[in-house]
Amino acid sequence: MAQPLIEVERKFVPGPDTEERLQELGGTLKHQVTFRDSYYDTPELSLMRADYWLRQREGSGWELKYPGAAVVSGPHTEFMELTVEPAIVAQLCEVLGADILESGSVAAVLGPLGLQEVASFVTKRSAWKLVLSRTDEEEPSLTVDLDTADFGYAVGEVEALVHKKAEVPAALEKIHSLSSMLGVPAQETAPPKVMVYLQRFRPQDYQHLLEVYSRREKPQGTKSPDSSLG
């Protein structure tokens, strides 16, 4: 099975001078794009209750995110990302307790697994790239996404993708350093777009999710859905 990447990210509330600060720090605006995200789940939100998030992004395909074991606690999230469809199907079957389906297509298993669209919205994104240290040509760049959803919510995200848990602390140090340079308060967090969507348009489902997470015994460093996802 394909090995998922580890997404280490920190969300924040962007200010009016965030892009100016990025330019001053040597950031490069890579692109501006508009896309639709559609999230799928059972009517009971079985995936989201388990902190699994199945998304189809216009122009990018399917992605399944789920929490990895937190290496370091703090105002950030560490999520595993699967983008290979057969691996997504296998993981969905496992978390939903279903028999393994042979199809390699996510779309083909939506019906058999009882999955339906539960959230859909359009995002306008400005994507920035920035390398903090110019002395290390091998150092991976950080991504800063500045998003505005079509229901009026704006959120920023500093992100690094790594392949191994051992790489998480170094990536996190860079994320916190850049966040500080952008003027983000040390403990500030911001909810992901999908959670704000549910809060506004499916408030009962939103409250049920919060109740599930409040009852769940969480290991040190894990986060509720209010602080995760893209």
Side-chain angles (χ1 to χ4, degrees):
M1 183 180 292
Q3 291 298 311
L5 289 170
I6 303 174
E7 177 192 66
V8 187
E9 67 179 36
R10 182 176 178 188
K11 296 190 184 298
F12 65 96
V13 179
D17 62 344
T18 298
E19 291 193 326
E20 181 179 345
R21 286 174 180 260
L22 283 167
Q23 289 178 321
E24 292 172 352
L25 293 169
T28 302
L29 178 60
K30 288 299 185 182
H31 60 259
Q32 293 177 305
V33 64
T34 300
F35 53 85
R36 176 175 290 277
D37 282 335
S38 298
Y39 285 82
Y40 288 79
D41 208 331
T42 67
E44 302 80 22
L45 303 186
S46 300
L47 291 177
M48 292 181 179
R49 286 170 181 258
D51 214 0
Y52 280 70
W53 305 81
L54 177 63
R55 182 186 72 199
Q56 184 181 41
R57 173 163 291 174
E58 182 181 27
S60 298
W62 293 93
E63 178 181 84
L64 181 66
K65 286 189 181 183
Y66 54 96
V71 177
V72 183
S73 63
H76 67 282
T77 57
E78 297 165 30
F79 263 70
M80 313 299 285
E81 287 189 349
L82 281 177
T83 56
V84 178
E85 291 200 35
I88 292 175
V89 170
Q91 192 70 44
L92 289 173
C93 292
E94 180 178 334
V95 71
L96 292 173
D99 293 335
I100 299 298
L101 300 172
E102 297 301 327
S103 174
S105 164
V106 174
V109 303
L110 294 179
L113 292 178
L115 299 171
Q116 62 188 30
E117 184 182 286
V118 296
S120 184
F121 50 85
V122 174
T123 295
K124 292 183 178 180
R125 167 171 292 178
S126 295
W128 293 75
K129 291 285 187 182
L130 189 143
V131 178
L132 290 183
S133 173
R134 300 296 176 182
T135 61
D136 185 358
E137 294 183 358
E138 299 300 320
E139 180 180 342
S141 60
L142 294 174
T143 299
V144 180
D145 293 330
L146 302 177
D147 291 353
T148 302
D150 60 1
F151 52 90
Y153 177 59
V155 64
E157 174 184 297
V158 184
E159 175 186 295
L161 290 174
V162 299
H163 295 273
K164 298 178 293 186
K165 287 183 179 180
E167 299 171 331
V168 169
L172 190 55
E173 182 179 353
K174 295 179 177 65
I175 287 173
H176 287 329
S177 178
L178 178 54
S179 298
S180 177
M181 294 177 188
L182 293 175
V184 178
Q187 296 300 315
E188 178 180 275
T189 60
K193 298 184 295 292
V194 63
M195 287 300 292
V196 176
Y197 178 96
L198 293 172
Q199 183 181 26
R200 294 186 183 181
F201 302 109
R202 301 183 63 152
Q204 289 186 324
D205 287 335
Y206 174 79
Q207 287 300 323
H208 290 159
L209 279 177
L210 294 189
E211 291 168 6
V212 168
Y213 275 81
S214 67
R215 291 196 301 265
R216 182 177 300 164
E217 183 178 354
K218 293 180 287 187
Q220 181 179 7
T222 60
K223 297 290 189 296
S224 76
D226 276 299
S227 56
S228 57
L229 312 178

